[in-house]
Each structure stands twice: as structure tokens, then as C-alpha cells.
Amino acid sequence: MDKSKKTERKKKIEFEAQLAGVIGKIIAHFQKLLENYEENEALSFLQMYSLKQGIKKFSDKGCKAVHKEIGQLHKKKVFCLIHVKDMTEQERKQAMESLIFLNEKGDKSINARTWANGSTQRAYITKKEATSPTASLKAILTMAVIDAKQERDVMTIDVPNAFVQTPIPKGEKKIIMKMTGQLVDIMIELFFGEYNEFVIYEWNQKVLYLEMLKALYGMLVALILYYKKFRKDIEKIGFVVNPYNACIANITVRGKQHTISWHVDNLKSSHADPKTNVEFA
């Protein structure tokens, strides 16, 4: 084996040893977290329940969480009613089923989240159309070094209700979602008189068709729609997106560089002055 290959192999072994150490620390960290909870509490915290299972397990608290979630979607005009006679046969076939999942949070409160089963969209939406950019690992590590070297204040946040703040552009192909069974009953109960006449029966099951006006978790195009909206918003306030990484942007604030990077609705912000991060959030 020549000298260059030996050097390359040595570097590889050293890298793998370092990587193993990092992975070991991560595993140990999460094991310690779990040890601080009772076994049942840890499992409950990690468990997701379907609508039927969640209401059965959490009873009134589960119902209230579902009502709150549905009420927010209705209030934010995430969808509008569409009558089956105003839909094409293709739109009806491609309709995404609506799903709701419940889970118990660390503070014992119940959280409900609506998802759209976007698997039906795979037949007519290409991967390219649905893919959202993301910052490269090399860029993330480089920024971490810069943040440390310049002693920047670093903030990480989740953008709240990211998708339901993202409108589906007018003129786009209709995206239809359908609610079935128990979820239809909840819609009628919450908004009596509004939805009743739009309910139909398919295979002896209540069905309600809705046209999506805003993005929702599970929709294949939700990621790219949100990316375009978020980028437009930050560019409007002066950020310049990095030409080599489409999820990194900079602006000069108080004479210092303010850098943000993001992956969907998870965002990292850094600046020498903590006030800049607070103001940005």
C-alpha cells in the first residue's frame, strides 16, 4: 500500500472513531432523558394515536384537543367547501384523505394535529415539483464554526403554524381533501348548518369534500409552497439568500452580519447582539 493510501485510510479510521463517539454521546443523552421519566410516561409521550384511539384514551381532553384543532383550521380558512357535483371524476379520485393524530405532551396536555394523506398525489406530482431546498451539512458545520469564532448569540426556533399560513397560489390545480366518518360528525357538530348539505355517502360512510386554500402537513407540495413564501418574506425585509445554499441568508444589522438558515419550519439565527435574534423572532 503506497503512502497516500495509508494516509487516506488513517484519516478514515480517525473520522469513524470520532463519529462513533458523537453517536455514543447522543444515545447516552436520550437514555438519560428517558431514565428521568417513569416508563409509562416516556412511552405515552412518544405514542401517537388515531382520532378514534385518541378520543377513547383521552376522553374529554382528547375531544377538546380535536375541536380546537378543527376550529383553528376553519378560522384560518385552510379549506373551503366544495360540492361533489362541482368536481371532476379525476379530482374525486385524487382527493387526499384527512387524518388526525393525538399525543400527550410532556406537561400532560393533549395535542391534536391534522394531516393530509398526500400519497394519492404521487401519481401526478413529480419529486422535482414537491422537493424543497435545504442547507447542506457542510454549510451548517461551517456556520457553526463562524458562530463560535465570532462569539455570536445563536437562536433556534420553530415557525408556528408554518403550513397553514401558506396560501395555495390561485390558478394552481385544485387540491381536494376529504373527511370521512367520525371527523365529518365533528365538523357538523362544530359548525352546524354550514357543512350539512355538502355531506354525501360513499359505501355507507359519510364523506365531506373540501378544496384546500392553504397548505397542510402531508401535502406533497406543502414544503415547496412554504419555502417560496418564507423566502419571499425574508427577502422583503432585506435578507440576501446565499447563491450556493438556498436555505441560508444574510443581512447586516447594527454593523454586524446576521445569518439565518432553515429546514422547512425549523430555523437557526445568529448575530453578535442577542437583541437582533429576539427582534427577528
Side-chain angles (χ1 to χ4, degrees):
M1 187 181 295
D2 60 43
K3 191 175 180 180
S4 62
K5 286 186 178 179
K6 282 183 179 179
T7 305
E8 187 179 338
R9 187 181 176 188
K10 185 180 178 182
K11 286 182 178 179
K12 185 179 179 183
I13 291 170
E14 287 174 353
F15 174 76
E16 288 175 349
Q18 291 171 353
L19 184 61
V22 172
I23 293 170
K25 286 179 181 179
I26 292 170
I27 292 171
H29 171 72
F30 282 104
Q31 280 182 333
K32 192 172 182 180
L33 283 177
L34 289 174
E35 285 167 5
N36 291 332
Y37 291 99
E38 292 293 330
E39 185 179 354
N40 290 338
E41 288 181 338
L43 291 173
S44 174
F45 179 74
L46 296 170
Q47 180 69 53
M48 297 287 286
Y49 299 89
S50 67
L51 175 61
K52 189 175 181 180
Q53 291 172 330
I55 289 178
K56 184 178 180 180
K57 180 173 180 62
F58 302 119
S59 191
D60 288 345
K61 287 174 72 176
C63 286
K64 286 179 181 177
V66 172
H67 288 188
K68 181 182 176 181
E69 168 71 358
I70 294 296
Q72 286 178 341
L73 296 182
H74 177 82
K75 186 179 179 181
K76 292 178 184 293
K77 294 181 171 57
V78 175
F79 44 68
C80 67
L81 289 160
I82 184 168
H83 203 286
V84 68
K85 65 180 175 57
D86 296 323
M87 295 164 54
T88 65
E89 186 64 27
Q90 189 73 1
E91 287 171 343
R92 193 168 172 178
K93 284 180 180 178
Q94 291 177 348
M96 307 175 296
E97 189 167 353
S98 175
L99 306 168
I100 286 190
F101 294 101
L102 291 85
N103 73 296
E104 187 176 24
K105 297 167 74 174
D107 60 2
K108 298 298 181 182
S109 63
I110 308 303
N111 180 59
R113 171 65 62 84
T114 307
W115 291 71
N117 182 359
S119 60
T120 57
Q121 294 182 302
R122 297 185 192 279
Y124 63 95
I125 294 178
T126 65
K127 187 176 180 181
K128 186 178 179 180
E129 289 175 307
T131 301
S132 173
T134 184
S136 68
L137 177 59
K138 187 181 287 186
I140 296 293
L141 294 175
T142 302
M143 286 190 301
V145 172
I146 293 170
D147 292 339
K149 186 72 176 175
Q150 297 183 356
E151 298 183 345
R152 295 189 188 188
D153 179 73
V154 178
M155 171 188 72
T156 57
I157 57 172
D158 290 341
V159 179
N161 302 313
F163 288 163
V164 296
Q165 294 185 64
T166 305
I168 294 172
K170 291 181 179 179
E172 293 278 333
K173 188 176 183 180
K174 282 182 187 176
I175 298 177
I176 308 295
M177 183 174 76
K178 71 174 181 179
M179 294 182 171
T180 59
Q182 189 176 6
L183 198 47
V184 177
D185 292 332
I186 292 172
M187 292 289 283
I188 293 171
E189 179 187 345
L190 288 176
F191 311 107
F192 185 78
E194 272 188 74
Y195 291 85
N196 304 52
E197 64 177 283
F198 289 83
V199 176
I200 63 169
Y201 282 83
E202 292 180 355
W203 303 100
N204 295 321
Q205 185 180 44
K206 290 179 183 176
V207 175
L208 190 62
Y209 285 99
L210 304 163
E211 181 180 352
M212 302 305 296
L213 302 178
K214 294 181 181 176
L216 195 66
Y217 285 95
M219 285 171 51
L220 291 188
V221 294
L223 296 175
I224 189 62
L225 288 178
Y226 172 72
Y227 171 81
K228 288 177 179 178
K229 179 185 183 297
F230 182 77
R231 177 167 175 165
K232 186 178 178 181
D233 288 346
I234 61 170
E235 287 179 328
K236 195 180 291 184
I237 59 173
F239 277 92
V240 177
V241 176
N242 188 294
Y244 303 102
N245 270 279
C247 287
I248 297 172
N250 293 286
I251 189 174
T252 300
V253 180
R254 299 184 173 96
K256 299 283 187 179
Q257 188 182 62
H258 179 197
T259 303
I260 61 170
S261 61
W262 68 97
H263 175 69
V264 193
D265 56 351
N266 297 298
L267 183 140
K268 173 179 168 287
S269 171
S270 70
H271 190 273
D273 188 349
K275 288 181 182 178
T276 300
N277 283 330
V278 174
E279 290 166 0
F280 178 69

